[in-house]
Amino acid sequence: MVTKQLKGTSEDAATVTRADSLAREIFSDIANKWALLIIEALGEGTRRFTELRGDVDGISHKMLTQNLRLLERNGLLVRTVHPTVPPRVEYTLTEPGRALRATVDAMCDWTHRHLADIESARNRFDTPDAAPHLRQTSGQ
């Protein structure tokens, strides 16, 4: 993330630096396939742990637990424990979580709009002799 140059006090600069640092931390927490898939699943409504495991194909118990904790820590979902036997735990997106889901939906829409372009570029890149300059790095 690039910090914008501000003309102001050192306190203003410190605020921008803290915001950039926090943004990088949050992006690190949510920029993985599991977090995005969990957010998408919760966008359909409140879910229990086992429902989420079924909705997020291929996620392990451990990865689901870790990602739910990260999303809760960042205020993107709320975990509600109902005092029953056995305890019933439900997860619901918060307002910031719903806003993030709208962004995730926009990313999915972008993917669908540009799918043919992406597949074409990948095929060109992966075809031997088609574009050898694409595979060279600056060190070669």
Side-chain angles (χ1 to χ4, degrees):
M1 181 162 307
V2 177
T3 302
K4 294 180 181 178
Q5 296 296 322
L6 288 181
K7 293 182 180 174
T9 67
S10 61
E11 186 176 309
D12 292 338
T15 299
V16 169
T17 300
R18 280 193 307 277
D20 282 353
S21 178
L22 180 59
R24 279 190 292 276
E25 185 180 329
I26 292 168
F27 292 157
S28 174
D29 288 348
I30 64 170
N32 71 70
K33 69 178 179 179
W34 299 125
L36 295 175
L37 290 171
I38 292 166
I39 289 166
E40 186 62 26
L42 287 173
E44 301 302 318
T46 299
R47 296 280 192 270
R48 294 178 69 179
F49 186 92
T50 52
E51 292 173 316
L52 281 170
R53 243 184 111 189
D55 290 344
V56 182
D57 191 38
I59 194 166
S60 69
H61 184 96
K62 177 182 175 182
M63 289 308 296
L64 181 55
T65 299
Q66 286 176 351
N67 278 275
L68 287 169
R69 286 180 181 157
L70 281 173
L71 294 170
E72 183 181 12
R73 179 176 184 259
N74 285 303
L76 300 174
L77 64 80
V78 173
R79 178 180 182 263
T80 305
V81 180
H82 298 278
T84 60
V85 177
R88 186 178 56 151
V89 181
E90 296 178 328
Y91 300 90
T92 307
L93 289 179
T94 61
E95 181 55 38
R98 287 190 296 275
L100 180 58
R101 182 179 187 240
T103 301
V104 171
D105 287 346
M107 290 169 56
C108 290
D109 291 344
W110 173 87
T111 303
H112 289 117
R113 281 193 313 276
H114 298 285
L115 184 61
D117 296 322
I118 294 166
E119 287 179 331
S120 177
R122 286 180 171 188
N123 287 335
R124 281 191 311 273
F125 187 90
D126 293 341
T127 301
D129 302 322
H133 67 281
L134 292 176
R135 287 182 287 284
Q136 293 178 356
T137 62
S138 60
Q140 293 179 336

